[in-house]
Amino acid sequence: MTTTAPPGGLRDFYEDPAVPVASGAPRSLRQARMLAAALSGSTAPGLVLDIGCGDGTAAATAAPLLTGHRVIGVDWSQDALTRARPRLSYAVRGELTDGGLPFRTAAADAVLFSEVIEHLVDPDAALDELRRVLRPGGHLMLSTPNLAAWYNRVLLFAGVQPVFSEVSLRAVHGRPGREVVGHLRLYTARALREFVAAAGFEVVRLEGAPFHGVPRPLRALDRLACARPPLASILLLHARRT
């Protein structure tokens, strides 16, 4: 069984209310704690941007841990912003390309970039724009699915398309799962570290997080894999702007 997406370009795809715009709560909470720890030594108020905020889950999870800081959700999907605004005090429309984000250079103390980079046609330009809006020494909290997750290694060995990878925007083909979510690029832990460093960031920390879509009998194993980020379902990366 597959879940189909409407024909059309990527914009039409992401404006479809049936397309998921949130990730699991465990990932959001782990990332929020990493961000709170990174900002613990800074003097509030600071500006935290959740770029590609989706329905606002990541920013709403982080906000209670960021007392005194201002958290703004940013997305170019009007459907996502409609769902985010009940959760966030501030949610604005913005794009990483076509003129850039609606913030001045070096305005932000931190950027949340949760489950976004795997959807981008041009991730290089996206990181350039994130670096522009971050102050020197500002924090980037990036999360993305792990191409080399423990179960994907088994699936590839068996000749099965890895989880998180997609060959079509209209239906799932050749892999477990039912939802089409629009992933264009996938990263291993090593590739993500190298890519972020090449974009002008210093990688501070890499952690793993579980994936909410793992079948229940395998969830304990998925949580154990988080201790080894290269095997984890989700990669959580903390970097600083150089």
Side-chain angles (χ1 to χ4, degrees), residues 75-128:
D75 208 296
W76 61 254
S77 166
Q78 292 292 357
D79 175 72
L81 290 172
T82 297
R83 287 187 263 179
R85 285 185 174 120
R87 291 186 170 96
L88 304 177
S89 299
Y90 305 96
V92 300
R93 192 174 188 280
E95 301 194 33
L96 288 163
T97 57
D98 298 332
L101 297 167
F103 302 97
R104 61 179 173 80
T105 297
D109 296 276
V111 164
L112 278 169
F113 204 47
S114 305
E115 319 294 303
V116 177
I117 198 168
E118 64 271 15
H119 297 270
L120 300 180
V121 174
D122 190 352
D124 301 275
L127 285 194
D128 287 345

Side-chain angles (χ1 to χ4, degrees), residues 21-58:
V21 292
S23 300
R27 191 274 303 151
S28 295
L29 185 57
R30 287 180 185 229
Q31 190 174 41
R33 287 171 175 164
M34 288 175 69
L35 176 57
L39 291 175
S40 62
S42 64
T43 303
L47 177 62
V48 178
L49 305 177
D50 183 2
I51 307 298
C53 65
D55 69 355
T57 297

